[in-house]
Amino acid sequence: VVKEKNRMGECPVWEEREGALVYVDINSQKVCRWNPLTNEVQSVSVDARVGSVALRQCGGYVIALGTRFAFLDWDTQAVATIFEVEQDKPNNRFNDGKVDPKGRFFAGTMAEETAPGVRARRQGALYTLFPDHSVMKQLSQVDISNGLDWSLDHTTFFHIDSLAYAVHAFSYDVHTGKIACPKLLYRLEKEEKMPDGMCIDAEGKLWVACIDAGRVIRIDPETGKRIQTVRLPASRITSCCFGGKDYSEMYVTSAYDGLDEASLAKEPQAGEIFKITGLGVKGIPQNFCAA
């Protein structure tokens, strides 16, 4: 549905108030917004790689860029830094993020590659930005902090550390925002490659984007089993969210960075954004950041 190609399209968020899909292109350092009615893509350029975007209650967006939490005013394109983490790790940057049921913004970090396929291990962490602008570190020694979401009853937090090739479930205290007691929920099969972004549907099942495997998979957190696979026409599938007027459509982002010329020739749609319909399940609206 979005033909404008992204180097590293990520973190799609359906913004009901605009009737639009908001997402980032990490490597192009852009926050983008696509209007399905006009098919127009607008974008705001920022001064660092931007790992994630979320909606703010008071309008505009909260973003995680470089190693900073910041607010983005869409109309003026102004970016206001709120908090900086990991100033001692110049090779780190924020990656995926999402807002919890109480308006706190969770986002995690990772080390950038120093050469193709080479990165320092366990340099990342997971942070929570609270409505009062304070920040708490939830996890440390993470490789690539990635997809995240909460169970429908708000008692479980789901998180992906990509290089663990797994989805983990944590107990989650909705009152304090704290996570604890991680346990393995699902380990990816060899052909599913590496897990990336993730979202939950209205039945409480998880959808995981599998980068380099050209698919999203649906997992039942009750049984820890994969129950569905949807293949897409691009291999570097990065994330997914539900949207549309009744949240029955799934939007899926992809990337073309990391593909060589031969692969790009075989994948003319690499970096585009896809819409999946007819899944027979709906998503739930995004939470708003209260900061």
Side-chain angles (χ1 to χ4, degrees), residues 2 32 40 60 62 65 83 100 116 128 139 167 173 178 180 182 193 207-208 215 217 219 237 241 254 268 284 290:
V2 183
C32 307
E40 183 191 10
V62 59
L65 77 163
F83 198 96
D100 84 349
T128 302
L139 295 173
V167 182
D173 185 329
K178 288 186 177 166
K193 308 282 189 187
W207 292 83
V208 178
R215 66 190 71 184
I217 57 174
I219 293 160
I237 296 301
C241 79
S254 74
I284 57 173

Side-chain angles (χ1 to χ4, degrees), residues 87-103:
Q87 295 181 51
D88 58 328
K89 293 183 175 179
N91 204 41
N92 272 23
R93 69 159 170 87
F94 267 116
N95 200 37
D96 211 352
K98 196 167 279 181
V99 177
D100 84 349
K102 291 289 185 190

Side-chain angles (χ1 to χ4, degrees), residues 22-202:
V22 182
Y23 55 96
V24 298
D25 183 340
I26 297 176
N27 294 347
S28 294
Q29 301 184 188
K30 287 194 306 198
V31 182
C32 307
R33 192 161 83 186
W34 171 68
N35 181 325
L37 296 178
T38 63
N39 209 26
E40 183 191 10
V41 176
Q42 298 172 301
S43 65
V44 173
S45 292
V46 291
D47 66 2
R49 286 181 170 174
V50 53
S52 43
V53 59
L55 315 177
R56 280 184 80 197
Q57 219 160 17
C58 58
Y61 307 102
V62 59
I63 55 175
L65 77 163
T67 50
R68 323 197 297 277
F69 284 113
F71 295 141
L72 168 62
D73 182 313
W74 189 261
D75 298 325
T76 65
Q77 304 200 353
V79 175
T81 296
I82 323 162
F83 198 96
E84 187 153 1
V85 301
E86 302 183 2
Q87 295 181 51
D88 58 328
K89 293 183 175 179
N91 204 41
N92 272 23
R93 69 159 170 87
F94 267 116
N95 200 37
D96 211 352
K98 196 167 279 181
V99 177
D100 84 349
K102 291 289 185 190
R104 312 170 187 107
F105 183 48
F106 281 56
T109 57
M110 58 180 278
E112 292 276 38
E113 290 184 342
T114 48
V118 179
R119 78 177 78 240
R121 298 291 300 263
R122 299 186 179 82
Q123 294 302 301
L126 177 70
Y127 298 91
T128 302
L129 171 71
F130 286 80
D132 66 0
H133 298 189
S134 64
V135 170
M136 174 171 74
K137 185 191 280 192
Q138 298 263 19
L139 295 173
S140 54
Q141 300 215 326
V142 177
D143 280 320
I144 300 178
S145 183
N146 227 323
L148 59 169
D149 219 324
W150 290 265
S151 62
L152 302 181
D153 67 1
H154 305 163
T155 61
T156 306
F157 170 70
F158 303 106
H159 180 251
I160 288 169
D161 181 350
S162 289
L163 294 187
Y165 294 89
V167 182
H168 284 88
F170 294 74
S171 64
Y172 163 73
D173 185 329
V174 74
H175 304 294
T176 63
K178 288 186 177 166
I179 64 169
C181 310
K183 59 176 193 285
L184 177 68
L185 181 67
Y186 180 80
R187 191 172 297 285
L188 273 77
E189 307 279 334
K190 198 172 177 188
E191 73 274 7
E192 292 165 349
K193 308 282 189 187
M194 188 189 284
D196 200 331
M198 172 169 62
C199 69
I200 198 162
D201 65 30

Side-chain angles (χ1 to χ4, degrees), residues 205-225:
K205 310 291 192 280
L206 298 172
W207 292 83
V208 178
C210 300
I211 193 161
D212 296 324
R215 66 190 71 184
V216 289
I217 57 174
R218 189 183 191 212
I219 293 160
D220 184 345
E222 296 293 310
T223 62
K225 298 269 190 290

